[in-house]
């Protein structure tokens, strides 16, 4: 049993879901530091193939259920100084077509990991989502608009979590994550389990999502939808007019925030952190226009500037599964700044240029541009 009063900067890391977008970037960063050891669990390894031979990394290719059943998860949690749980299905299309799987993976699959951390007194960093805030109060009092920041700026300790009705399956993920947060928080309160909860604000970067028809099927999140349209000379589609707003955060800033947590375990534990870039807020319509411009630059193909940007309804785009949207995500990041000394530094154009260049390098048919 570890003594929580002696929480020190971790040297041994357990990453559950280490081959997802965030996991792959965190793993890359941890393995750069001499002397840190990492154990990971994931069914996939596509995004971390370049790290597989590393001396300080051990990958278990199995599900959480399997790992708990064969005892390897218990062994890893007992060994680790910190457990980072990243496993989840975090894609709105999946919320519409298989909500029960989303709830299972985001809530029930996580419970054994939380319980093990509690029993063995291992620091748990649990990934949640800014989507737990749901819709802003402003969106329910339209006459006020966004004039009062208290009705829309999202603060960990003050802002209510506003989910739509159960028939709107959009909220299955946020509700599952909200319950998980409450369970983790309860164990921190009742059993002094060391924990940190992270609410990410739309992290963007290389390896973020699949590109339909190239390395996956279905509908990815907005960045990959727009990149697919740009690659294929198709229209960019704005769901419900593209008026929803998001705060876009570089994956590199996000990993810096995690490193700051590891450096300050006493400040980071017992806390919920919004992690996102103040100032990087824009509408989805603005995002489409900005991406079209940057893609044209990166590809040296000015025709991309003229690709149409069209409106579709949520039902046309996501089907009849009950789509509803978060209207706005404006971060209050005071907690991360004051406790971790962290704030995001990378602006939106730099994030988009890096990410678009990454996908362009991998997937664009460059011969077509060269011969045009
Ligand atoms: C999703 C998850 O549900 C969040 O929990 C997670 O924090 C977030 O992704 C993330 O990437 O961090 P959301 O931002 O709603 O949330 O997901 P997107 O699919 O990226 O949608 C963003 C906005 O773009 C929504 O308004 C959506 O309707 C719109 N959209 C999406 C379009 O207008 N066109 C598209 O082609 C795709």
């Amino acid at each position: 049993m570890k003594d929580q009063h002696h929480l020190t900067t971790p040297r041994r890391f357990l990453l559950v879901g280490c081959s997802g977008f965030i996991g792959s970037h965190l793993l890359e960063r941890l393995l750069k530091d001499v002397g840190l050891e990492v154990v990971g669990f994931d069914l996939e390894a596509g995004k971390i193939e370049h790290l597989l031979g590393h001396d300080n990394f051990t990958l278990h290719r199995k599900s959480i259920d399997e790992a708990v059943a064969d005892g390897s998860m218990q062994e890893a949690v007992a060994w680790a100084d910190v457990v980072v749980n990243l496993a989840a299905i975090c894609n709105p299309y999946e919320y519409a077509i298989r909500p029960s799987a989303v709830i299972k993976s985001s809530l029930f699959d996580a419970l054994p990991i939380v319980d093990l951390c509690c029993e063995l007194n291992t620091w748990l960093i649990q990934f949640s989502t800014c989507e737990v805030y749901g819709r802003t109060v402003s969106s329910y009092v339209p006459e006020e608009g966004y004039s009062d920041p208290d009705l829309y700026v999202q603060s960990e300790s003050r802002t209510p979590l506003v989910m739509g009705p159960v028939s709107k399956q959009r909220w299955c993920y946020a509700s599952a994550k909200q319950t998980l947060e409450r369970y983790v928080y309860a164990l921190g309160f009742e059993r002094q389990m060391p924990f940190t909860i992270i609410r990410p604000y739309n992290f963007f970067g290389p390896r973020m999502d699949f590109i339909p028809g190239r390395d996956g099927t279905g509908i990815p999140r907005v960045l990959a939808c727009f990149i697919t349209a740009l690659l294929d000379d198709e229209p960019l589609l704005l769901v419900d007019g593209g008026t929803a707003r998001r705060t876009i955060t570089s994956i590199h800033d996000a990993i810096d925030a995690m490193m700051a947590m590891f450096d300050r375990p006493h400040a980071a534990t017992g806390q919920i952190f919004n992690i996102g870039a103040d100032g990087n807020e824009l509408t989805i319509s603005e995002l489409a226009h900005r991406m079209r411009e940057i893609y044209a630059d990166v590809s040296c193909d000015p025709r991309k500037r003229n690709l149409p940007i069209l409106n579709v309804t949520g039902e046309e785009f996501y089907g009849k599964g009950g789509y509803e949207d978060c209207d706005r995500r404006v971060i209050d990041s005071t907690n991360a700044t004051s406790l971790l000394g962290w704030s995001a530094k990378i602006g939106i154009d730099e994030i988009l240029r890096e990410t678009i260049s990454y996908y362009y390098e991998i997937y664009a048919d460059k011969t077509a541009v060269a011969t045009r």
Side-chain angles (χ1 to χ4, degrees):
M1 172 75 84
K2 294 155 193 152
D3 178 350
Q4 63 163 71
H5 299 296
H6 294 95
L7 266 180
T8 50
T9 300
R11 312 289 302 164
R12 296 195 286 208
F13 296 78
L14 167 56
L15 308 189
V16 182
C18 62
S19 184
F21 164 52
I22 302 172
S24 71
H25 283 273
L26 178 57
L27 184 60
E28 215 167 53
R29 187 77 75 85
L30 291 174
L31 293 178
K32 276 194 188 136
D33 264 348
V34 180
L36 301 186
E37 288 179 82
V38 187
V39 168
F41 284 83
D42 210 305
L43 283 166
E44 312 281 325
K47 294 182 182 181
I48 56 168
E49 259 162 16
H50 58 301
L51 302 169
L52 286 179
H54 199 289
D55 288 346
N56 292 348
F57 175 51
T58 308
L59 173 65
H60 296 275
R61 286 187 75 156
K62 50 180 102 162
S63 69
I64 296 173
D65 283 353
E66 286 168 315
V68 171
D70 71 14
S72 49
M73 188 62 83
Q74 288 84 328
E75 202 180 302
V77 174
W79 164 86
D81 299 322
V82 63
V83 175
V84 183
N85 185 18
L86 298 132
I89 299 174
C90 50
N91 168 348
Y93 176 61
E94 304 284 334
Y95 314 162
I97 60 165
R98 47 181 194 130
S100 64
V102 170
I103 294 169
K104 182 174 181 303
S105 87
S106 308
L107 174 59
F108 298 117
D109 286 356
L111 296 182
I113 295 165
V114 180
D115 286 338
L116 281 170
C117 287
C118 186
E119 272 164 41
L120 299 167
N121 207 19
T122 305
W123 178 15
L124 169 67
I125 299 186
Q126 176 61 55
F127 265 78
S128 181
T129 169
C130 63
E131 198 160 312
V132 292
Y133 294 109
R135 287 178 58 167
T136 62
V137 175
S138 281
S139 70
Y140 286 101
V141 283
E143 64 281 5
E144 291 270 332
Y146 294 99
S147 56
D148 179 356
D150 278 350
L151 301 183
Y152 67 88
V153 175
Q154 298 171 338
S155 145
E156 300 92 337
S157 55
R158 290 200 320 273
T159 304
L161 311 180
V162 186
M163 305 289 113
V166 172
S167 57
K168 298 288 183 194
Q169 292 183 153
R170 162 52 188 260
W171 305 111
C172 67
Y173 176 68
S175 307
K177 285 291 193 185
Q178 185 190 150
T179 307
L180 179 62
E181 282 197 18
R182 290 185 189 276
Y183 185 63
V184 168
Y185 199 88
L187 291 177
F189 173 73
E190 289 172 27
R191 307 264 308 270
Q192 291 72 54
M193 177 180 76
F195 76 88
T196 305
I197 291 169
I198 298 180
R199 295 179 179 163
Y201 279 68
N202 290 71
F203 295 174
F204 275 24
R207 301 195 290 269
M208 179 183 170
D209 232 333
F210 65 92
I211 302 295
R214 269 110 172 162
D215 60 358
T217 51
I219 302 178
R221 284 166 296 173
V222 67
L223 170 97
C225 286
F226 288 170
I227 287 181
T228 309
L230 289 159
L231 285 164
D232 292 345
D233 285 332
E234 296 286 341
L236 286 74
L237 301 180
L238 298 179
V239 174
D240 297 328
T243 55
R245 305 175 78 93
R246 294 291 185 267
T247 291
I248 309 295
T249 308
S250 162
I251 186 65
H252 309 302
D253 274 333
I255 300 299
D256 283 349
M258 299 213 59
M259 301 310 279
M261 290 175 200
F262 302 143
D263 280 345
R264 300 185 185 193
H266 286 281
T269 45
Q271 296 293 330
I272 303 177
F273 291 107
N274 289 337
I275 297 296
D278 309 54
N280 278 0
E281 197 211 5
L282 78 185
T283 65
I284 299 302
S285 169
E286 286 163 350
L287 178 69
H289 286 86
R290 207 73 83 94
M291 284 183 65
R292 202 173 57 168
E293 205 54 41
I294 294 175
Y295 192 98
D297 248 27
V298 167
S299 62
C300 302
D301 184 353
R303 286 178 326 120
K304 301 284 180 180
R305 285 197 177 88
N306 302 323
L307 279 181
I309 297 178
L310 305 178
N311 289 326
V312 287
T313 66
E315 189 169 311
E316 282 164 343
F317 193 78
Y318 291 106
K320 291 191 188 302
Y323 184 68
E324 212 174 59
D325 207 354
C326 306
D327 53 314
R328 193 167 185 187
R329 297 173 178 166
V330 180
I331 183 171
D332 174 350
S333 55
T334 320
N335 213 25
T337 309
S338 60
L339 290 173
L340 305 173
W342 172 88
S343 57
K345 300 194 169 39
I346 306 177
I348 218 146
D349 284 349
E350 191 178 336
I351 298 171
L352 293 179
R353 190 167 290 276
E354 181 197 11
T355 311
I356 288 171
S357 303
Y358 166 82
Y359 282 105
Y360 177 75
E361 279 309 313
I362 298 181
Y363 292 119
D365 176 3
K366 291 168 204 152
T367 51
V369 180
T371 55
R372 207 164 272 143

